[in-house]
Amino acid sequence: MPFDRTIKIAPSILSADFANFGAEIKAIEDQGADWVHVDVMDGHFVPNLTFGPPAVKAFRRHVTTLMDVHLMIAPVDPYIDAFAEAGTDMLTTHIEAGPHIHRTLQAVRAAGMKAGVALNPGTPAEAVVHLLDMIDLICVMTVNPGFGGQTFIDMTAKVRTLRGMIGDRPVHIQIDGGVDTQTAPLVVRAGADVLVSGAAVFRGGTVDTPEIYGNNIRAIRAAAAVGQPEVSCGRPK
Ligand code: DX5
Ligand code: ZN
């Protein structure tokens, strides 16, 4: 997939029906999702447990867009090959998950995946300054990771700093946590291009009423567009 900074909506299947992942993934992709965001939690790095490589491999059969796997686990390195074998396109690991993020990112790319690095709300933008040429995505957490449906924490100053640091590099800025129609324009205005959203995409819908997912995705996308500088300033690109 060629790099671009158009807005991408990545629904988090943490808010899907856990007994029906295949149909849920099809529903969100049919309804306009750009990426599928998969939250892997270990009950140790974060206080919640979700699923491991075998489940992610099963999801892969249903994903036709990009499978974006967010690891909230520590340690990371012993599991990198398993997530590559599961068919992960983008593997995002937390900078706080261990002492050797540089080694981890090297290993992620060596395993054939794109490499993302995630920053908890308390971690400064400057933590990635020496990593910018070895990553494809920076995930700015706008909640403390572990659960869906939490309240957005304003990290727009961090996003703005990161956008300046990235310059012309092909590095996405992803926002994860509490993204909805209210918060999407704020983070897009600051420089984000990938919006993860769980509760605000799945709210009110089921696989039998997928058009509700579609309405939710379109509403977030429309709100995000308002935050794009070329739109809000009324000037051409
Ligand atoms: C939080 C996860 C998120 C979460 C986002 O630990 O990384 O991806 O599912 O969910 P919402 O959009 O509900 O905050
Ligand atoms: Zn996530």
Side-chain angles (χ1 to χ4, degrees):
M1 224 173 263
F3 180 86
D4 69 52
R5 288 198 189 283
T6 57
I7 302 303
K8 288 159 281 291
I9 309 293
S12 164
I13 59 169
L14 188 60
S15 291
D17 175 359
F18 271 38
N20 211 2
F21 278 120
E24 291 278 32
I25 290 168
K26 181 174 182 347
I28 54 173
E29 288 196 336
D30 285 350
Q31 295 295 324
D34 298 290
W35 295 5
V36 175
H37 186 83
V38 178
D39 286 306
V40 175
M41 304 185 184
D42 68 351
H44 163 75
F45 179 69
V46 290
N48 196 4
L49 275 169
T50 56
F51 26 69
V56 174
K57 188 172 187 174
F59 304 157
R60 173 75 264 181
R61 296 203 310 272
H62 302 277
V63 175
T64 64
T65 56
L66 181 148
M67 191 161 75
D68 173 35
V69 177
H70 177 192
L71 294 188
M72 286 158 276
I73 69 172
V76 170
D77 295 9
Y79 301 99
I80 290 172
D81 288 342
F83 283 103
E85 282 156 23
T88 300
D89 295 305
M90 174 80 73
L91 190 72
T92 296
T93 61
H94 270 261
I95 201 162
E96 306 86 2
H100 298 296
I101 187 67
H102 193 284
R103 173 184 289 149
T104 298
L105 293 168
Q106 282 178 323
V108 170
R109 279 196 169 170
M113 296 175 283
K114 291 196 180 298
V117 64
L119 306 182
N120 280 334
T123 301
E126 289 71 18
V128 301
V129 73
H130 300 296
L131 307 173
L132 292 170
D133 292 314
M134 59 190 308
I135 53 175
D136 301 284
L137 174 145
I138 302 170
C139 173
V140 178
M141 294 305 302
T142 41
V143 295
N144 287 296
F147 304 96
Q150 301 186 82
T151 303
F152 178 83
I153 302 168
D154 187 356
M155 290 283 133
T156 48
K158 188 192 289 188
V159 174
R160 223 171 272 118
T161 303
L162 287 168
R163 186 67 195 86
M165 286 165 58
I166 288 169
D168 292 334
R169 294 177 179 86
V171 177
H172 298 290
I173 298 183
Q174 177 178 68
I175 306 298
D176 191 1
V179 172
D180 59 18
T181 55
Q182 302 296 306
T183 56
L186 308 177
V187 292
V188 168
R189 188 171 297 124
D193 65 303
V194 185
L195 305 180
V196 174
S197 183
V201 165
F202 286 90
R203 186 173 295 134
T206 69
V207 292
D208 298 321
T209 54
E211 63 282 359
I212 294 176
Y213 297 160
N215 292 341
N216 292 340
I217 290 170
R218 280 186 292 277
I220 296 168
R221 201 187 297 284
V226 172
Q228 286 183 294
E230 63 273 22
V231 174
S232 62
C233 300
R235 286 197 307 267
K237 262 185 182 170

